[in-house]
Amino acid sequence: MASQQLNAPSRAQSGIPATVPPSGVAHQRHRHTEKFTVIGNHLAQHERMSLVALGLGVYILSLPDGVNVGIKSLAARFEEGEVVIAKGLRQLEAYGYLSRTRERTPQGRWVTRTVAYDMPSALIQQPAAPKPKSTQKPNTAPAPAPATTPAATNAPSQARTPSPAPALTEPDHLDFTRHRTAAEILAGLRRHDPRLILSERDVPASRAPYRPGWNAASSRLPCDAP
């Protein structure tokens, strides 16, 4: 019996690594060290822009600063006409990859200033502002004990009344010497104020008995003995 002949070469003979899937694209990558451009997948694989806009975006990002990328210059470089190129540039502007502004030079000429962005501002994540460090030290002091309130008493509070002055008592014996001295003090008040003249009836020096309480009160009068 004759052996079967295979027309298709094996994977090893075709130079394709065995780890590559049998269908779909296979990449043979090479590390570039010069004349290359880094393009983000957010542009190269954009889901809403047309193929013309993607190609124009990659081409413009690969150019050095100062190269003219106006519609006429791009139409002269590629086969697409000015209408198609203008539409692709507007898509790049709409998604933040391109900006075009009209400016007037010091010589009075109007020019279009074009800026290409390899990362749209909408995709740039602003770093979060660092939180300020607290300089206050934690309070390690023990918590104060709760204040204790005195127990309420049911007895009503009684207002303190001043104690009455002691009543004057009759002396056991009469002291005529002190009585005469007190009478002389009262009679001498006229030297300080003429209105303080006392009659003999008001100061019965020889008849009224001495009372210790009355003598003590008279000794506090603001006058001097004669």
Side-chain angles (χ1 to χ4, degrees):
M1 182 176 181
S3 61
Q4 183 179 4
Q5 301 294 327
L6 297 177
N7 296 328
S10 63
R11 297 176 65 89
Q13 294 177 354
S14 62
I16 301 176
T19 57
V20 174
S23 60
V25 63
H27 294 282
Q28 292 289 331
R29 303 187 183 278
H30 176 75
R31 184 178 182 83
H32 297 276
T33 58
E34 58 180 358
K35 296 181 180 181
F36 66 94
T37 303
V38 177
I39 302 295
N41 288 338
H42 51 82
L43 171 61
Q45 300 178 12
H46 203 281
E47 297 179 355
R48 295 187 179 182
M49 285 194 295
S50 64
L51 187 61
V52 174
L54 294 179
L56 287 173
V58 172
Y59 174 73
I60 293 174
L61 289 176
S62 67
L63 297 175
D65 294 343
V67 176
N68 188 358
V69 289
I71 296 176
K72 294 186 179 297
S73 299
L74 293 174
R77 169 66 175 80
F78 299 103
E79 296 180 356
E80 287 76 8
E82 294 182 5
V83 176
V84 177
I85 292 177
K87 184 178 179 180
L89 293 177
R90 286 195 298 268
Q91 289 184 4
L92 291 173
E93 287 184 284
Y95 291 102
Y97 291 96
L98 200 69
S99 67
R100 293 180 294 177
T101 56
R102 294 281 291 174
E103 296 181 1
R104 190 169 185 175
T105 63
Q107 294 76 18
R109 293 180 53 201
W110 286 95
V111 296
T112 301
R113 180 73 63 183
T114 304
V115 179
Y117 302 93
D118 60 353
M119 175 73 74
S121 58
L123 299 180
I124 299 176
Q125 296 181 355
Q126 299 294 337
K131 296 182 179 180
K133 296 182 179 179
S134 176
T135 57
Q136 184 178 3
K137 295 182 179 180
N139 186 10
T140 57
T148 58
T149 56
T153 58
N154 296 327
S157 60
Q158 298 179 356
R160 295 183 179 180
T161 58
S163 58
L168 298 178
T169 58
E170 293 290 339
D172 296 337
H173 62 280
L174 299 178
D175 190 344
F176 292 100
T177 302
R178 291 188 177 183
H179 178 70
R180 184 175 297 278
T181 302
E184 291 176 354
I185 292 174
L186 293 175
L189 292 177
R190 67 180 181 274
R191 295 194 301 272
H192 300 278
D193 193 339
R195 294 175 298 176
L196 299 178
I197 298 176
L198 303 177
S199 64
E200 184 179 358
R201 184 176 57 183
D202 297 329
V203 187
S206 60
R207 292 175 297 176
Y210 166 71
R211 296 180 183 275
W214 177 83
N215 195 339
S218 64
S219 64
R220 295 195 295 271
L221 295 175
C223 63
D224 298 333

